[in-house]
Amino acid sequence: MSPRAYAIDAPSLQSAMAMEDRHQSLLALSDDAAEAAIAFMEKRPPVFQDR
């Protein structure tokens, strides 16, 4: 992944870490996160729906 993919607009490292924490929490609740866990347990490739 390019360094540009990591570019964020945060005034400090602490602020950037808080933003990352919020984003990770929201993503963990997504349908795709659930699909990833289920697919892993069923030993099959995940079928993501971008949800």
Side-chain angles (χ1 to χ4, degrees):
M1 197 173 280
S2 71
R4 190 171 182 196
Y6 295 106
I8 59 169
D9 186 21
S12 67
L13 177 59
Q14 189 173 22
S15 174
M17 295 299 287
M19 189 183 310
E20 177 68 16
D21 184 50
R22 282 191 302 275
H23 291 157
Q24 288 292 330
S25 296
L26 291 173
L27 288 172
L29 299 173
S30 71
D31 290 341
D32 281 344
E35 167 61 13
I38 292 167
F40 178 79
M41 290 187 294
E42 294 176 353
K43 299 181 191 245
R44 63 170 174 81
V47 179
F48 296 124
Q49 304 287 323
D50 291 326
R51 298 185 282 157

